[in-house]
Amino acid sequence: MDNKHDILTLLRSVAEGATSPEEALLNLKEVPFEDLDYAKIDYHRSIRQGASEVIYGEGKTPEQIKGIVTAMGERGCRNILVTRIGQEAADILCGAVPAEYHPLPKLAVAFPEEREHRGSIVVATGGTSDMPVAEEAALTAETLGNNVTRLYDVGVAGLHRLLSNLDPIMSARCIVAVAGMEGALASVIGGLADCPVIAVPTSVGYGASFGGLSALLSMLNSCASGCSVVNIDNGFGAGYLASMINQMEGL
Amino acid sequence: MDNKHDILTLLRSVAEGATSPEEALLNLKEVPFEDLDYAKIDYHRSIRQGASEVIYGEGKTPEQIKGIVTAMGERGCRNILVTRIGQEAADILCGAVPAEYHPLPKLAVAFPEEREHRGSIVVATGGTSDMPVAEEAALTAETLGNNVTRLYDVGVAGLHRLLSNLDPIMSARCIVAVAGMEGALASVIGGLADCPVIAVPTSVGYGASFGGLSALLSMLNSCASGCSVVNIDNGFGAGYLASMINQMEGL
Amino acid sequence: MDNKHDILTLLRSVAEGATSPEEALLNLKEVPFEDLDYAKIDYHRSIRQGASEVIYGEGKTPEQIKGIVTAMGERGCRNILVTRIGQEAADILCGAVPAEYHPLPKLAVAFPEEREHRGSIVVATGGTSDMPVAEEAALTAETLGNNVTRLYDVGVAGLHRLLSNLDPIMSARCIVAVAGMEGALASVIGGLADCPVIAVPTSVGYGASFGGLSALLSMLNSCASGCSVVNIDNGFGAGYLASMINQMEGL
Amino acid sequence: MDNKHDILTLLRSVAEGATSPEEALLNLKEVPFEDLDYAKIDYHRSIRQGASEVIYGEGKTPEQIKGIVTAMGERGCRNILVTRIGQEAADILCGAVPAEYHPLPKLAVAFPEEREHRGSIVVATGGTSDMPVAEEAALTAETLGNNVTRLYDVGVAGLHRLLSNLDPIMSARCIVAVAGMEGALASVIGGLADCPVIAVPTSVGYGASFGGLSALLSMLNSCASGCSVVNIDNGFGAGYLASMINQMEGL
Amino acid sequence: MDNKHDILTLLRSVAEGATSPEEALLNLKEVPFEDLDYAKIDYHRSIRQGASEVIYGEGKTPEQIKGIVTAMGERGCRNILVTRIGQEAADILCGAVPAEYHPLPKLAVAFPEEREHRGSIVVATGGTSDMPVAEEAALTAETLGNNVTRLYDVGVAGLHRLLSNLDPIMSARCIVAVAGMEGALASVIGGLADCPVIAVPTSVGYGASFGGLSALLSMLNSCASGCSVVNIDNGFGAGYLASMINQMEGL
Amino acid sequence: MDNKHDILTLLRSVAEGATSPEEALLNLKEVPFEDLDYAKIDYHRSIRQGASEVIYGEGKTPEQIKGIVTAMGERGCRNILVTRIGQEAADILCGAVPAEYHPLPKLAVAFPEEREHRGSIVVATGGTSDMPVAEEAALTAETLGNNVTRLYDVGVAGLHRLLSNLDPIMSARCIVAVAGMEGALASVIGGLADCPVIAVPTSVGYGASFGGLSALLSMLNSCASGCSVVNIDNGFGAGYLASMINQMEGL
Amino acid sequence: MDNKHDILTLLRSVAEGATSPEEALLNLKEVPFEDLDYAKIDYHRSIRQGASEVIYGEGKTPEQIKGIVTAMGERGCRNILVTRIGQEAADILCGAVPAEYHPLPKLAVAFPEEREHRGSIVVATGGTSDMPVAEEAALTAETLGNNVTRLYDVGVAGLHRLLSNLDPIMSARCIVAVAGMEGALASVIGGLADCPVIAVPTSVGYGASFGGLSALLSMLNSCASGCSVVNIDNGFGAGYLASMINQMEGL
Amino acid sequence: MDNKHDILTLLRSVAEGATSPEEALLNLKEVPFEDLDYAKIDYHRSIRQGASEVIYGEGKTPEQIKGIVTAMGERGCRNILVTRIGQEAADILCGAVPAEYHPLPKLAVAFPEEREHRGSIVVATGGTSDMPVAEEAALTAETLGNNVTRLYDVGVAGLHRLLSNLDPIMSARCIVAVAGMEGALASVIGGLADCPVIAVPTSVGYGASFGGLSALLSMLNSCASGCSVVNIDNGFGAGYLASMINQMEGL
């Protein structure tokens, strides 16, 4: 109900007598989400944006996840992303509704439905160990209808591996750079590419990586223009934003 | 013995010869608590305040908890709160004394007794995962005799969920705002409400949430007046303070 | 316009034809504040709460402060608090409008007006150096119409200084405990008093006090029930919250 | 020389005998920048992107800045942005070349030239004190040819100020959310808007804001999808990225 | 061989021809410890000080611990302290040599031998959960021949529990104050007592206690004179130092 | 009034009718300090311990310092230490009362009086730059009546400088080890000496010394037994504690 | 392909018509590594440097490690180092290819081949618990063809243990100093030795060692010249760099 | 006196009666340094290594610096490096002894003397602002007799600037990589070069660079082999170590 047009429409309906003030107030309060007691499902965004719905699985019981997904499916939602969902919860979910599970990034897509893939997003990683986070980003972007090119293990300590892949980098509309340890990948890609670069620090590493802090700070300090950063290990956030940018309409 | 009236009474009793100086000193030392060797139970506060007794379960063995609760029950204590008590210890406790156990917030109420619920406290959370901490706050407040309204999963990223619940927020005497991650809930509620807001950062989150540090700092920096903060995950502390405020007598 | 009654009233006015939908939307957007370009003055709260207005002076030019205060004064605001305002800006302000300036806490009260002082708030400090923050709290509370008792330099390293002042502590409705360094004052007072204790860590200290971090963490970890914490050096926030609590109506 | 087409062209020229291998290597090394000894000016990006050139002024002497700008101007660069340049250095610069100086964000535009402004970027701030950073973002975006709407002092502690400005927020192609202290503005805007949100934490605040750390962590932990973060006080980076996104061509 | 008298004696022996220079050098290098390959046992200190030997068990295999203790026992060492040794390693040790194991502080005393207990050390804790660290301190001090009085669960949130135990505090020659959370115990005891106070922060707590950091900083910032601090959870270090101080000879 | 004997005496006086209960309570509250409004001077400790009085100068105005010292002098206090007092305040102080000022450690001794120096304390520093903190420790100890040997610039990077001074180290009753940067001095001295070692980290250094944090952590982690740590730059605290230990009576 | 000579050779081949531009570009991209999808094996360095290949095992599955090693072995690589490989993965590896496994440092050498050992590297540790990291350094250096002398458990708290081993220290060409806790070993060795010292902080310790942070900061702040630091627990990095330095050719 | 040969020689002299034991002990204590009271000048290293002497100027008065340098010059020292010396102290120094002052790195060379420059060290920086630290490294290395190539402003955000300078990088014997902000320069150079790389983080930057912490962590986490790190802004340490490595004799 936070949209000017919705408010105007509702007010006009009141002005025309079609809606009583009390109903309007009620309306204002009950439309946009469904209350499952333990969660308030928001159908607002999907209607407005035509996007997939997303459920953050961590901290929710398998039963809660199943409940939310089922309620969404009944409302007609498709390609529902469930992130950070363990094998056990995924088994319960896949037993209850049609769903695909990707164990590496611990991500499920419920009520999957083919959709057109458009544009061009690159997801690059510094090392092999960054793949779970990168796959969360890549699968998120693919589920949201984007073409994704994966460039894994192209860290800056072996620069030629990255330089040998300049083609996709130079032609991407958005790049997700995933790296732990020193996180220099984002800076180097940011200096090469002409498009927005979304940096994802990962908690991969040991010692003075301090759970991703080193990569996070490094990426925030990147001297390359056009870079921005999401939370440590937040592959979903990067994939979602990359999709937004890739699917921008022209001016 | 830290109360002026108690000291005066004792001194008068000495002056009247009813108590010898040596007894008075002894008295000064032995009255206010019972020494179980591993714990010094304090009956002082409950007598003074009519409140429930509280035991912090973490770091205590099931046997120690049972011992303390039993000793308290024999002294006549009722509605004894035991926080941070695991299932195993709860089973031992419930086998020994009358007690209700709430597994989500890991909280037990021993020697439960009905009491009148008064006033109006709101406990709100940013997400579903904050519920264990929120329930610790809500059950603490209820056990201490307060009416509690729960508003769960009303985080600021979906503002209409919060705005649709303005009624209880505007009419509360005290609000407990429980949130992890960016902790913005406290600021937004603090800006809307006219009553004291107690912010509880939670350790829910990952990456740069750093175990609740992010929410903690965010809440401490809240620009909204009337907000204060308790320790990360300290649902009990928030519930206890909310009860104090809710039950304030008028000037 | 975030109040249910306001919304209902507006909707009813639309339903009755007294207000057109377009006007209602406009109304929704323009009433609650005055836009000075560099600041959006909010008259909403003062009307709703009868409270004083507050301006955070830091980061505002003397001219901006004068502009905001003058606009408020013209609207009829009285006892306008300006916090963190330096001597130079205060001189400009006091030259333009009636105002009292307190240099120790760098706080001004513009358009001062006598008001009744009620209830009982104690403001205590660990040391002499905590006085600027304590005075910000105390003057804020006094300006908001509360009786304030000051207990300065009663830190726990000389416990008898605190114990000799048990009378005001035991009879307060709310206590503000201001301390830097180890911040133990809040815990000790919290253990003695029966009322809410608001802890204010200060940046007083050196070395491992890390600009108030030590006192902040200490206070957050206080084992005493009924304590909560505001930002480092946030005397205003503590005074404002103390006033809210002190002036609670009875159930 | 990091572009596939450039390399292919160069190699073809070698294959055709038009360029000797030694010249090619030389070419590879000397084209893309001009070496001023203390700085290596990069003309590569401007040719490739048609963008303005940018000079980070901090840590450079007024003479160095003047030297770099003059060299660029002679090469034909226009609308050269100089960020973090103090009044003194700006005076020297403006005395040497045509330039406009904005003292609040300490930003200069040298060899200014009118250009078409396109699309729609919103720059919002939590408070008045965030304006220097916000203006750095806004002026950067304007210099790069974007329409910019400023929404200043719309922090979440007074939510109606933000809600009254939903129109520009709902119609923006990209939003820059600038806030210090608790940094909740980004989350709330991220939950309302349908476009990418670039969060800029500021060092505005005191105590537990720890020089912008609080806002930074808060923004990184934002639960709203579509948000990403740049360095503390990095208005330029946000404005540059917002321009990139705003000017995306359609698929 | 770092003792002036030893060096002089050796040099005199060389001067007298009783020792050749080559032997002296050898002597200088091989006397003071026994090399077990994985450990260099130092008999120097025990001979010099008449103290017990100490082995830090963490990070050593049960076999290594057994080997070191056996070698020491064969050299005639008695009352050998083994700290941070788990139940399993303790079982192996107790099967091989005469030894007493204390599971709470995970401490063993091998080749135990009665010794006179002298002087007066107080070991106090803020809560029940601090007992493992406190017992490490107390048992270390007792093994080193000191009288120890235990005052457990006397945290400052219930000040009368501490004030009721002023006798041992006022008559101690050295006090070990063990506390987690806010660590205020050291300050309060330091303000009451006339003897050196050794503060031991513990990792007991949650949230913003950050593994003992809160108590550590609090104790370092103690305003009470005569306090010093050892590492978090370092009960042994505190007990050892307390013994040194308690057994000081008079001037 | 925190001493058992005082309490007993007072109670006996009440029992004998020599003191009324009301007077006793008053007595309990007013004896131990003098209230200067901005400071509560504590005469308790000096009477009990025969020690010098100490005033922490930082954060106090020159007038406040002069006021406190004068009041103390009138009560008969001698050798009053004023720490962290700048040149300007010292000039004012020295103009008002007899006092010696030491500009390097910014320390003054007011109403100086010769006293016997006893025992043996060593104050050692890692470098020349640590001298201000070391002098604060040394002068404090000397003022409190101890013999002090200074060993400056004996840092471990030139080990022979330290080894050439083994005599005073081996014969000291207590050693204060003052060092910034890596703070290894405390460990090395702790391994050599047989007496308690008080480590004082200093804020001397740059970069990753983080204002003394590096030395502080290093000293807390010292593997040498008998070491404890005081706050960064707290020369006074170390000197005071060293005096306590040096002047211990024999068992 | 990042080597001038390689580029020149390739360009000459194009100029001579032996290589087409398209092939050259292809060449530029495909030569230097083999793409196993999950990893890009880099044969470049081994050819250029004659060094062993290294695989960082952590975060790779046993199957991935086996795959990479097998592919390398087939290419003729020998003495392939696999670091941070657990027992289970090592069993799989040793079952598939000839390999030696060292469980303490969790390090395997695949396709082992005798090679000459040259020069002189010392690896020293502060304590027994630092051995896993030290062995990673020592075995790395030995596998790369260096003579290694181990000096374990020579921490500075027992200085004579270190001073008794001055011979190897004074004659080393490079020293690796491995220590946790206070990390003073590097400073002391750095002050004694005339050769480069590589400091390796370890995560050994507890409390305020904060996972190696204390040793790391201490080593970075070392006052001894010729010291540098690698990541916490990075024995491999230290051993590799020590080998580089030990095997330097003369000028 | 920490050298085996010195000790043997001394002991033989005692054995031959040429030295008395008491003289030997004295000898042991007085030879290696000159005691200026505020500093202990160590001539040991220069004799042993033929290196220049170094004085760390920060925290020393101009008079102390002049005193130390003069004493050294009288002893015959040449090319004495004084680091971190301000203009004022440099003026005093240059007025007293022959000396060259470099204001950018605040470094002086006293009693300068031509010496042969050998080998090849590269000093590279990420940006123009890193030059003061880089010059400290470069001048230190030059003063110690090394050839130095400067590559300034070759940060990774414009990779071609670095790639155009591969010649000196590939032929260096040691590289010093100086960078602030994200510090990625060390990783990229480390991946390209075959020689040891010494990384120097600088405090250049703002916001989340946290005074060089970001670059420091980034460099410690570098995935490139052969890299090690010195303290933030420690150009001298890097130059000194680079000289050690560059001047290694062959095996």
Side-chain angles (χ1 to χ4, degrees), chain G residues 93-173:
Chain G
L93 181 66
C94 294
V97 302
E100 296 159 357
Y101 183 60
H102 304 264
L104 189 66
K106 294 181 199 260
L107 179 147
V109 182
F111 298 101
E113 211 175 61
E114 270 306 297
R115 54 164 51 187
E116 188 196 1
H117 287 190
R118 301 194 305 155
S120 167
I121 292 172
V122 164
V123 177
T125 74
T128 303
S129 318
D130 300 314
M131 279 175 62
V133 177
E135 278 300 304
E136 190 181 273
L139 288 165
T140 295
E142 286 177 338
T143 304
L144 294 170
N146 304 275
N147 290 311
V148 175
T149 303
R150 287 158 172 84
L151 295 181
Y152 289 171
D153 196 21
V154 294
V156 300
L159 205 55
H160 50 284
R161 295 179 303 183
L162 182 63
L163 295 181
S164 305
N165 286 283
L166 284 178
D167 276 3
I169 287 172
M170 299 311 289
S171 60
R173 284 174 62 86

Side-chain angles (χ1 to χ4, degrees), chain F residues 115-208:
Chain F
R115 55 164 51 184
E116 186 196 3
H117 287 190
R118 301 193 305 153
S120 167
I121 292 173
V122 164
V123 177
T125 74
T128 302
S129 319
D130 301 313
M131 278 176 62
V133 177
E135 278 300 305
E136 190 181 272
L139 287 166
T140 295
E142 286 176 339
T143 305
L144 293 170
N146 304 276
N147 289 312
V148 174
T149 304
R150 289 158 170 84
L151 296 181
Y152 290 171
D153 196 21
V154 294
V156 300
L159 204 55
H160 50 285
R161 295 179 303 184
L162 182 62
L163 296 181
S164 305
N165 287 284
L166 285 179
D167 274 4
I169 289 172
M170 298 312 289
S171 60
R173 284 173 62 86
C174 186
I175 301 175
V176 176
V178 183
M181 306 297 286
E182 92 274 60
L185 186 67
S187 286
V188 173
I189 288 183
L192 293 171
D194 296 336
C195 67
V197 174
I198 304 164
V200 191
T202 70
S203 56
V204 166
Y206 63 92

